[in-house]
Amino acid sequence: MWFSFVLACVLCTALLYFPGFLVTISTGRMRWHDSIACAPLVGVAFYAVAAIVLAMMGTKASIFTVVLPLLLAGALLAFVRLIITAGRKRGSARRFPEAASEGNSLRHSLLPVALYLAAGIIVTGFVFVRNLDGAASMFQASDNGTHLNSIATFLDTGNYSSFLGSYYADAGAVSPFVEGAPSFYPRAWHELVALVVEVLDVPITLGVNAVNTVLLGIVYPLGMHSLLRRVFGARLRPLLMGAAACVAFPTGILDFITFGPLYPLLLSYALAPAAVACFIDLLSPNASASYRICRGALFATGCIAIALAQPSGIFLMAVLLAPYVVIRSCQAVRGCSDSRGRRVTVAVVASLAIAAIWLGIYSLPSFSGVVSFNWEANDSVAQAIVDVLLLSMSSHSAQPTLALFVFLGVIIAARDPQKRPLLVPYCFFGLTYILCSATEGDLKHLLGGFWYTDPHRIATNVSIAAVPLAVYGVLFLYGCLLPAFEGFHSRHPEFLTGRTAAVGTLVVLGLAAFCPSLNIRGYFAADTGFGAIARQIAEQNSHEAANVLDGDESEFVEKALNIIPEGALIINSPNDGSVFAYALYGANIYYRAFALPSLEGEKGESIVIRDSLDDIETNPDVAEAVDKIGAQYVLLLDQGAADAFASVDDGETEDALDLEKRFLWSYYPDQWDGIEGITDETPGFEVVLSEGDMRLYRIVA
């Protein structure tokens, strides 16, 4: 299975990079490492748009209809570019004028890219992949029911469009809910997983883990490399330090793996840094028109890719880029006049314009459902402030070493006008986190509404904005340590040189930020940021842990499907884990979502079945409803669970209770009385398979 996982990672990397790289490198206006960083923007945007167009045409999506056209187009563009440049002797400075300040030495090109890749792969391997309980293990959370069922529907129907809004589009499926017109939901991440699974014929969960591994270990670090080159310019030392800094935050995009899980947002945020870099280049004051057109087109392409992955990434970019827009506006005026007052006026006008655009989008009806969503405050203001300062946001363990670097970086940036713009997104997101985790009110929604006022999402924003500040903090500390150690070495030449001692000290401090949790039984215990998230990943993916669908239940479902006719409709109680049976085993289950929609969205026969299925022998309405949907079997994986909940107070059904089985917030036993009330003695049902509290019944009424 792990060999298939490696193949899936390789395939995902090829899908994200190879076709897009052919397109970006053929522009002739980009350095090779920027072409690589921007390649996923092209690939994801094309695949997602192609899937929508194919669905409108009634054509099935596949590796040939989605990927091959971009591959052929990229190859053609690269070939044309090769012909155009053949025989021309151009210096690198003429072809890439923007690279003149950096040169083309190995130190300034290959080494940083290799370091960012190494940092991403090592951290992802040790923290994420190493803690999977097998290559196809999965996090059994409510959001993952949505993700897995969407991918399964893609594969069954060949419709990979973001306008596919139903889990019941596959042949033979019967929906208990009223199916409206297709609505938009960003599914670029789901499409990417579906492509990997389609080609390699691997389990969906393995495809999920492989795609997430590539996003964490390759796409995000290479995108950050491209972005930090714009922040640090030609200085190699801070750029190299950025390789460790960009993967040093457990509160960063790693959090999307353990919370939600927010896999589509992971793709969105992994793409965002490269798109931000393109926009910064677009505003470069000395850039040529062709260079601006190239970067502008790539930025627009990136916006399409991010919007079709998860639109919250657009607003992350907006905050990161706002200071650059203001600065470039002031610089444009400075070229015409030396008036400081005019530049201040332009800065104020630009800032007000940005705020007006933000408020305008916030007020749009199409965003009302997002910005009005409320995560209730559960911290005090003091606690939220401490969490921001110690990087212990959203219940993560504190990161004191990293927090020190960020704090020093804030001080340095505040004192240097050239670095001061880096404080704007960091302060904005820090304030937003405090408001969303500790307060209620309109301001909370105005600033944090585009992230559902969710502290987890906003904590990731804080972490991304803090990366360059952490690097400047490390540089400042190095500048303090170097003369001290050099002075010591001058008095004691037998000891390490000043530079070696300073670098060694920073390496030790840096490694402390990645240190796993330490437990010396009976004496000492320390839960570190990475240690805590690694343990969380291991627990969430464990096959042995009490879970919504545990190992015995998985085996029972497979046995049941081997007994019944293929495609037979099965009535189920989704919160017992059977919600995963469609995505994992292809079972034609009736309820494919954990939570019920509003009453207006449910069909009458579904309500009758949920409330009264156990009365099928005595209630003709029930028999009529079952006959209408054509159900033949009933699957129960936690028979008697409702009785265990009888003694639980209302509102305490979240996550794990003190029960042998794990249930999510979506489980309200009274909603499933008719199904879960069935026993071996209930008239109208025949036991087909029985193990412990698991049953498969045939409907015989």
Side-chain angles (χ1 to χ4, degrees), residues 242-302:
C246 74
V247 294
F249 292 82
T251 50
I253 63 172
L254 260 174
D255 197 44
F256 297 154
I257 296 291
T258 59
F259 176 76
L262 304 176
Y263 298 150
L265 197 57
L266 172 62
L267 173 59
S268 180
Y269 275 38
L271 296 174
V276 171
C278 288
F279 191 86
I280 293 174
D281 286 344
L282 174 64
L283 296 183
S284 179
N286 299 318
S288 64
S290 60
Y291 184 70
R292 292 183 193 277
I293 291 172
C294 172
R295 294 309 169 106
L298 276 174
F299 176 72
T301 302

Side-chain angles (χ1 to χ4, degrees), residues 62 133 180 184 187 237 256 286 289 315 336 343 364 390 402 441 498 516 522 564 612 630 637:
S62 69
D133 194 359
F184 173 77
R187 286 190 170 91
R237 184 179 295 164
F256 297 154
N286 299 318
F315 300 98
C336 302
R343 292 198 300 274
L364 290 175
L390 292 180
L402 191 60
I564 67 177
S612 309
L637 298 180

